[in-house]
Amino acid sequence: EYGLRSLKGKVVDNFKEAMAFYDNEGLEEVVIKPNYRAGSTNIRFCSNRDEMIGEITNILDSINPYENMVDKLLIQEKVDGVEYVVNTVSHNGIPRVTLVWKFNKVKNSQGDEIYESCETVNELGLGEAEVVEYAYDVVKALGVQYGSVSGKYIMDEDGPVLIEANCCPSGGN
């Protein structure tokens, strides 16, 4: 609605609906994650349809860290690029950045992407500045007037794109 780049994605509550979305959108690689979770618990990267079938079966109806049944999953198109977390705080509808993290990932011997390290971005280069401006646009599109937003973004050759945004301070502490 706000003209921001976004990913194809859908919240589903059953296997049939998940597979219909995957097939109808012509997706190859996807990310599957419980709609309600803690941190990176049960986030799965699937390279093809068969992997997706297995992961949906494993995650749907499992128990999340809050001891609730996982009854909804987000199926989201996978984008490759540099991952950032941009934390903001807004006052009277004007967001300001509080912290930017950049994640460095590597592939393990099974081909899975794993987090090798993260670093704070203390000076914004062109790419980081573009991600921060995009994050401001996301916060405004969400209608946040006051408070914190912790957003996860990917920067690829097409520019920044939102992975997820949570209206809360970041971190598990």
Side-chain angles (χ1 to χ4, degrees):
E1 293 175 27
Y2 292 86
L4 298 175
R5 179 180 176 208
S6 61
L7 299 176
K8 295 177 184 177
K10 183 172 182 160
V11 176
V12 299
D13 62 9
N14 63 66
F15 182 81
K16 184 177 179 182
E17 188 179 14
M19 296 316 298
F21 172 74
Y22 179 86
D23 292 337
N24 291 338
E25 292 297 331
L27 299 173
E28 185 67 29
E29 292 185 284
V30 295
V31 180
I32 300 172
K33 48 187 156 183
N35 199 40
Y36 185 62
R37 66 181 197 289
S40 59
T41 305
N42 278 333
I43 294 178
R44 300 290 190 267
F45 297 92
C46 304
S47 301
N48 56 52
R49 192 175 200 279
D50 290 339
E51 283 184 16
M52 185 174 147
I53 289 169
E55 294 300 346
I56 289 172
T57 303
N58 289 335
I59 300 171
L60 204 56
D61 298 330
S62 66
I63 302 298
N64 71 17
Y66 303 108
E67 298 185 10
N68 298 313
M69 184 178 290
V70 175
D71 58 355
K72 291 184 179 167
L73 298 174
L74 171 61
I75 312 296
Q76 190 174 49
E77 111 183 75
K78 183 176 182 295
V79 176
D80 291 316
V82 179
E83 183 178 331
Y84 293 90
V85 167
V86 178
N87 294 323
T88 61
V89 65
S90 295
H91 175 77
N92 201 26
I94 300 171
R96 293 289 179 248
V97 70
T98 59
L99 187 64
V100 178
W101 288 94
K102 179 180 178 181
F103 293 91
N104 301 304
K105 297 182 267 187
V106 296
K107 290 198 179 210
N108 66 14
S109 59
Q110 290 79 35
D112 299 319
E113 287 185 3
I114 58 172
Y115 293 97
E116 179 183 51
S117 63
C118 64
E119 58 191 74
T120 57
V121 177
N122 299 313
E123 292 185 31
L124 299 179
L126 289 176
E128 288 91 5
E130 190 176 353
V131 171
V132 168
E133 287 298 321
Y134 178 86
Y136 286 171
D137 291 340
V138 167
V139 170
K140 291 173 185 174
L142 291 172
V144 176
Q145 293 293 306
Y146 296 92
S148 301
V149 174
S150 180
K152 188 178 281 189
Y153 305 89
I154 297 281
M155 176 65 121
D156 68 4
E157 64 276 354
D158 296 325
V161 65
L162 175 68
I163 302 302
E164 64 185 41
N166 295 288
C167 296
C168 64
S170 74
N173 297 330

